[in-house]
């Protein structure tokens, strides 16, 4: 079990995060509960901001808000001088409602609705990443009607194999995202945007996938995209001023994952961009990256209460917890591995192998398969680590289970930033 950020083992046997004993936190806010080590989020933001810099071009670190977004998270990001990427009206609305500066918002999406595009223009979103020809036409029309201009990047697919789970690869030739650099139509689309009166094409966006553990995938993508920038420049004179390299930087979930050291990687990345640009006689004004998971995954822990236990005829020992695939669908979706502990009896060495399952009516409702863990008692607090990214944001109400609350832990204080859902919330939209 790996400890992250401010995590400590208290002498009392309780896990401490952000100076708070997690058992006390569950007494106050109940379970299941998402808790975040906000100091670790801040540290991650500054690790990105201090290392992703260059003497030759401006840089921007854009948090991919799909990983975890609440108003409180937007406020924290604004304090850290981060930008935000949103992919839906809902994410945009959350950011704007928190007072996040619109010019630092990047709007993504492969199928933005007309309403979402209008909303982005209305709110004065800084950059819209256009995904396809239909969208370019629609956005142009909207800008015309609203008498506004939009700064855009074109999402292109560089066709890079990013060695990650098939469901989170985004740059293979059949990906639904962006337009391929290998399609002849792409050139025509770029020409169309450049010639459009209302759209100001600043450059390109690529994103090669998520939970990428190989630095070489990024270096390969730089070569490919710089070649593309050069090719377009040679063919009809359009030279990109901005380049957004997307996110996807892998994190530690279990011993199977060996993420590359971020600081060194980011320095090498900016150097390689500069070198590739110089070799092609190109220059670039601004380069962006969009980390999501690597900012929040390890800052988040989910706290559950141990409920019933069961030994099966087949020999499996189950621990059932009061949440499950509704608050963490990642095992079911991607066969993700997690580490966990009995957080209120850390020094009890009486261990056994258990499978931790949730309370949903679904056999695939497993959180962790075959983990060596302290023999639990009913009522113990079970902490699952590394649940800060794509857990709260992908939570569901399957079986009409309530979504947990979110509590930020820092300097011995627990601050509730999202209330646990109530049964009344479940009926909010029922007519
Ligand atoms: N930029 C773009 C355009 C993206 O599509 C994504 C993630 C990111 C940035 C951030 O990637 P990150 O740094 O977080 O890896 N639900 C999946 C992950 C889906 C990622 C979608 N796009 C999971 O739970 O693993």
């Amino acid at each position: 079990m790996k400890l992250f950020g401010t995590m400590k083992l208290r002498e009392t046997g309780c896990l401490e995060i952000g100076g708070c004993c997690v058992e006390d936190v569950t007494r106050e806010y109940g379970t299941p509960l998402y808790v975040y080590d906000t100091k670790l989020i801040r540290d991650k933001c500054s690790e990105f901001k201090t290392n992703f810099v260059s003497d030759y071009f401006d840089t921007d670190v854009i948090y991919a808000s799909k990983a975890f977004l609440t108003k409180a998270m937007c406020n924290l990001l604004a304090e850290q001088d981060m930008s935000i990427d949103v992919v839906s009206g809902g994410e945009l609305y959350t950011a704007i409602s928190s007072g996040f500066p619109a010019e630092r918002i990047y709007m993504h999406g492969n199928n933005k609705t007309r309403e979402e595009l209008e909303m982005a223009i209305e709110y004065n979103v800084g950059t819209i990443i256009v995904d396809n020809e239909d969208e370019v036409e629609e956005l142009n029309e909207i800008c015309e009607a609203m008498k506004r201009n939009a700064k855009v990047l074109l999402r292109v697919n560089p066709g890079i194999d990013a060695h990650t789970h098939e469901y989170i690869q985004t740059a293979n030739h059949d990906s639904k995202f962006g337009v391929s650099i290998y399609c002849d139509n792409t050139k025509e689309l770029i020409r169309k945007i450049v010639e459009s009166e209302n759209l100001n094409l600043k450059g390109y966006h690529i994103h090669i996938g998520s939970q990428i553990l190989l630095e070489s995938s990024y270096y390969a993508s730089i070569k490919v995209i710089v070649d593309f920038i050069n090719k377009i420049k040679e063919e009809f004179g359009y030279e990109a001023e901005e380049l957004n390299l997307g996110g996807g930087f892998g994190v530690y979930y279990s011993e199977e994952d060996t993420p590359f050291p971020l600081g060194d990687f980011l320095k090498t990345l900016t150097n390689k961009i500069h070198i590739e640009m110089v070799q092609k006689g190109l220059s670039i004004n601004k380069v962006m990256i969009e980390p999501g998971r690597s900012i929040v995954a390890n800052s988040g822990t989910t706290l559950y209460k141990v409920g019933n236990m069961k030994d099966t005829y087949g020999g499996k020992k189950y621990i059932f917890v009061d949440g499950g695939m509704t608050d963490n669908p990642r095992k079911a979706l991607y066969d993700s591995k997690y580490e966990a502990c009995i957080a209120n009896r850390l020094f009890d060495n009486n261990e056994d192998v258990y499978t931790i399952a949730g309370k949903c009516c679904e056999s695939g409702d497993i959180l962790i398969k075959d983990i060596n863990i302290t023999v639990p008692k009913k009522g113990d607090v079970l902490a699952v680590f590394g649940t800060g990214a794509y857990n709260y944001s992908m939570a569901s109400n399957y079986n009409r289970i309530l979504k947990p609350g979110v509590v930020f832990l820092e300097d011995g204080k627990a601050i509730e930033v999202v209330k646990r859902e109530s049964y009344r919330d479940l009926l909010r939209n029922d007519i």
Side-chain angles (χ1 to χ4, degrees), residues 62-67 85 87 108 155 167-168 170 177 205-207 209-212 218 244-250 253 289-295 330 333-334 336 338 389-391 393-394:
I62 307 165
Y63 170 69
S65 72
K66 69 206 80 177
D85 118 26
V87 292
H108 276 279
R155 178 157 182 176
Y167 291 2
I168 46 181
T170 47
F177 298 107
H205 172 279
I206 59 172
H207 171 74
S210 203
Q211 183 59 5
I212 294 171
Y218 289 97
N244 184 330
L245 296 171
F249 318 112
Y253 285 107
I289 46 173
E290 286 171 342
R293 189 190 313 271
S294 47
I295 302 271
R330 298 194 69 262
L333 277 172
Y334 319 113
S336 306
Y338 287 93
Y390 303 108
N391 279 226
S393 61
M394 295 206 299

Side-chain angles (χ1 to χ4, degrees), residues 42 48 54 145 177 185 229 261 278 384 386 392:
R42 287 178 223 283
F48 272 102
S54 168
F177 298 107
N185 298 348
I229 294 174
V278 170
V384 178
Y392 171 73

